[in-house]
Amino acid sequence: MDPASQDINLNSPNKALGVDRTDSLSDMPVEGAMGNPANPPPPGLTEEEAEELRTELTKVEEEINTLRQVLCAKERHAAELKRKLGLNPLNELRQNLTRSWQDVQTSNAYVRTAETLGEWNERVTRSDLYLSASATLDDITHSEAYKKTQETLSQAGQKTTAALSTMSTALSKKIGDMRNSSTFKSFEDKMGNLKYKVVGQRGNGDAVSSPTDTTPTQENPSF
């Protein structure tokens, strides 16, 4: 059916649908026009000033994005150059620390601090209290009591060393005398005989006299 022939009946509720409403739509206000009531300008600004600021903000944001892209490209190029030069992060960190320390040493604050500390040190070393304390310490080290104390401690150390050496020598000599005594040798011979008897009985099954035994074999030797 031809669209132009629809709803010709005047009693139809859709009788106005076939009418051209282009003019009526063009007369309706567009949202954002006539002062843009949906986004009014801030207080103290006109619509023209607000629009100008929005345009400038858009340009600035575009410039920021462009600079970010340029910076990323420069960083990639710098990383490639460092890789070709063999500069690893550790060497770069060392160089940065060395450069930073040199900058600190040449800074005005560091120089002023060093000068101030030098002045304080000079004032302290020249003060009466410091000179008096130094003189007192020098007098103590050169006093007779200090010298006697030092000599006494030195002699005590020497005597202690000599006493320990003498005691060690006497103890060694005493042990040697004990081992060379007849009692110790007799005890050693008896222990050797007993060991020989026990070992001989376990190995051969019969008791064998010790070659060094000059006395008759006893079953229960007395110590």
Side-chain angles (χ1 to χ4, degrees), residues 49-83:
E49 292 175 346
E51 186 63 27
E52 183 178 357
L53 293 176
R54 294 190 190 97
T55 303
E56 185 176 359
L57 176 60
T58 302
K59 291 182 180 179
V60 171
E61 290 178 347
E62 291 177 355
E63 292 177 356
I64 291 173
N65 292 330
T66 302
L67 292 175
R68 285 177 178 173
Q69 295 176 359
V70 174
L71 179 61
C72 291
K74 294 292 184 182
E75 288 179 348
R76 289 194 297 269
H77 184 58
E80 182 65 21
L81 293 177
K82 290 178 182 179
R83 186 186 64 80

Side-chain angles (χ1 to χ4, degrees), residues 90-110:
L90 183 58
N91 293 333
E92 187 176 359
L93 178 61
R94 291 177 179 174
Q95 294 178 358
N96 292 334
L97 292 176
T98 303
R99 191 180 302 109
S100 300
W101 177 240
Q102 292 176 353
D103 294 339
V104 169
Q105 289 180 331
T106 56
S107 63
N108 294 329
Y110 182 86

Side-chain angles (χ1 to χ4, degrees), residues 167-184:
M167 185 176 64
S168 177
T169 303
L171 184 60
S172 299
K173 184 178 180 181
K174 186 66 175 177
I175 293 175
D177 294 340
M178 289 177 61
R179 295 191 64 179
N180 293 327
S181 64
S182 58
T183 304
F184 185 85

